[in-house]
Amino acid sequence: MVGLQNTLLISVAALAIGLIIGTLMATIKLIPSSEKLPVKVLKKIVDAYVALFRGTPIVVQLLIMYFVALPLIGLARVPPLIVAMIAFGLNSGAYVSEMVRGGILSVDKGQMEAGRTLGLTYVQTMKLIILPQAIKNIVPMIGNEFIALIKETSVVSFIAVIDLTKAFKQIGDATYEYIIPYLMLALCYLILVLGITYLLRLVERRMRRSDRD
Amino acid sequence: MIETKGISKSFAGKLVLDDISVKVEKGEKVVIVGPSGSGKSTFLRCLNLLEVPDKGEVWFEGQQTNRPGVNINEVRRKMGMVFQSFNLFPHLTVMKNLTLALTTLGLKPEEEAQEIAHGLLKKIGLSEKAYQYPSKLSGGQKQRVAIIRALALNPDVMLFDEPTSSLDPEMVEEVLKVMKELAEEGMTMVVVTHEMGFAKSVGTRILFMDEGKIKENAPPEQFFNDPQNDRLKEFLSKVLVKIV
């Protein structure tokens, strides 16, 4: 049970961190007509961030975070569970930023123009017109990201966190019987993912209502 | 009311608007025609600064608008705009489309905004569509709603960017009718269009644009019967043959 709890805990926390970082970075990338230097620098940082976290394996990021990065800034004693949340959160942020950006860009640019010609500000148009439409595209992608996180977190035992995978491995180690624990493990992940998929479908269906009316 | 003084605009190194100076007086109905790519839409979009000119000045109601420190949102509120692709907000009902700006900008309380919307819907005969989503409307109905969405803010001028170009032929007339009524009520209008019939009957002045320049600027009789510019003569011979 501790294993299941940790798997869910890490995934949820990572998604939350990812959403915050991702939305922030997507917003930076979408700042209009940015010839100003600070904005340009920020955009470069975001690009580098996305390239870095998408370009290296998550296990490597996890190991670096635990054994290199945190000790380097004097935080060697952070519990591994928290480290896992942060590592997966930072990683997720890179993916989420691309999802949010894609979702916003998929809204026809005439919508922004229509909002602005009615005298609405950029922020008002974003909030009332663009985002409500973008959300419909973003939510399914975020759901997939959550599913990916649940599965990817199966590597956290590298830094001694007991998650679902580690828990079943321990059962196997204790009984010298691996077939049933590992098949059960696979079944656990499958049930989790199918459950989440089902919930996502419900949410999506609700959101598509205005399209059918 | 609106004046441009020598505005130029390039996209990716290509000059789209070349030193254009035009004045539109209150109550005028200025129609802009010309071949595709001549810069007429860009020019229209410069009037409310959806495109910002690289050079030159845009004036509206005695104020230069393309200048730092001007609240462009307040300026745009007085300039209604209608697009070729309607750009209704698909996630909102027709009613919400009409009242959103009024209530968000704090110009009218919700109830009053709805009254205005109902009045406008009645005028274009679409009262029964008030609580439907735009996806349920035909192209012509969408464009009529887009027109009254702009009118809800009680603008001083209306800009039309090829309002009938993406409509099925049988729906063009219903949109033009709304525009004609608007013209008769005295609205100042700037219309980019390919509808020569509309230009002739409603326009008080017609501009011919080609290669980023205004090549002719004349009242309709002179524009159609005695064109001066050679490119315009060629253009008219082509489009007018099409009408016959």
Side-chain angles (χ1 to χ4, degrees), chain A residues 34-78:
Chain A
S34 53
E35 295 313 310
K36 286 176 199 140
L37 192 65
V39 178
K40 266 188 174 171
V41 172
L42 273 176
K43 287 191 181 191
K44 285 274 177 262
I45 293 174
V46 170
D47 285 342
Y49 183 102
V50 172
L52 189 68
F53 280 90
R54 291 209 305 188
T56 54
I58 178 67
V59 186
V60 177
Q61 292 167 24
L62 191 66
L63 292 173
I64 289 179
M65 182 64 63
Y66 189 58
F67 292 108
V68 183
L70 288 180
L72 215 63
I73 55 170
L75 291 171
R77 299 204 172 188
V78 178

Side-chain angles (χ1 to χ4, degrees), chain B:
Chain B
M1 171 173 259
I2 305 179
E3 187 174 4
T4 67
K5 297 181 183 170
I7 59 170
S8 298
K9 173 93 189 167
S10 329
F11 287 117
K14 190 178 172 287
L15 198 59
V16 184
L17 294 182
D18 188 3
D19 190 30
I20 296 191
S21 299
V22 171
K23 209 167 179 173
V24 179
E25 300 292 349
K26 191 167 160 44
E28 273 196 291
K29 293 97 182 72
V30 175
V31 180
I32 306 172
V33 301
S36 344
S38 57
K40 49 195 196 306
S41 279
T42 307
F43 172 69
L44 190 75
R45 291 158 60 85
C46 277
L47 297 181
N48 65 357
L49 299 186
L50 272 187
E51 306 289 353
V52 181
D54 304 327
K55 255 193 298 191
E57 297 175 4
V58 182
W59 288 71
F60 178 63
E61 298 186 334
Q63 178 194 24
Q64 189 190 340
T65 51
N66 64 333
R67 199 162 48 92
V70 173
N71 184 341
I72 189 60
N73 300 314
E74 267 173 33
V75 175
R76 285 188 182 137
R77 214 178 281 174
K78 296 184 199 145
M79 309 176 93
M81 186 164 198
V82 175
F83 301 88
Q84 180 179 350
S85 52
F86 326 134
N87 296 345
L88 291 180
F89 307 133
H91 62 302
L92 302 174
T93 60
V94 166
M95 178 54 74
K96 262 280 168 201
N97 265 276
L98 297 173
T99 58
L100 182 76
L102 281 176
T103 53
T104 305
L105 298 170
L107 300 175
K108 296 274 188 266
E110 180 74 38
E111 237 170 75
E112 212 177 310
Q114 290 200 11
E115 263 170 48
I116 293 171
H118 278 303
L120 289 164
L121 278 170
K122 200 170 162 200
K123 211 169 129 189
I124 59 165
L126 288 178
S127 292
E128 78 279 8
K129 304 284 185 189
Y131 298 101
Q132 300 208 336
Y133 286 91
S135 57
K136 281 283 177 194
L137 305 183
S138 72
Q141 292 172 336
K142 281 183 193 166
Q143 194 61 298
R144 281 146 67 200
V145 170
I147 292 172
I148 61 167
R149 178 175 69 180
L151 288 176
L153 288 161
N154 199 16
D156 296 339
V157 57
M158 284 287 283
L159 312 175
F160 292 86
D161 188 4
E162 300 199 24
T164 57
S165 294
S166 56
L167 292 175
D168 291 338
E170 75 267 25
M171 292 173 179
V172 169
E173 217 36 61
E174 64 185 67
V175 171
L176 291 181
K177 190 170 151 262
V178 172
M179 291 170 65
K180 278 177 193 160
E181 285 167 9
L182 197 57
E184 281 159 17
E185 287 165 20
M187 176 63 77
T188 311
M189 294 162 71
V190 183
V191 184
V192 170
T193 187
H194 294 294
E195 295 290 331
M196 292 302 148
F198 177 84
K200 211 169 189 168
S201 64
V202 178
T204 54
R205 198 145 55 91
I206 306 181
L207 309 183
F208 174 67
M209 273 190 82
D210 184 40
E211 293 170 333
K213 287 191 164 111
I214 301 216
K215 297 263 169 92
E216 185 103 16
N217 180 349
E221 311 83 56
Q222 188 190 331
F223 187 92
F224 286 106
N225 302 329
D226 184 23
Q228 305 296 312
N229 179 271
D230 287 340
R231 276 289 289 133
L232 173 58
K233 286 177 195 165
E234 190 193 330
F235 179 77
L236 284 178
S237 72
K238 281 181 193 158
V239 289
L240 293 181
V241 164
K242 244 192 282 173
I243 290 175
V244 179

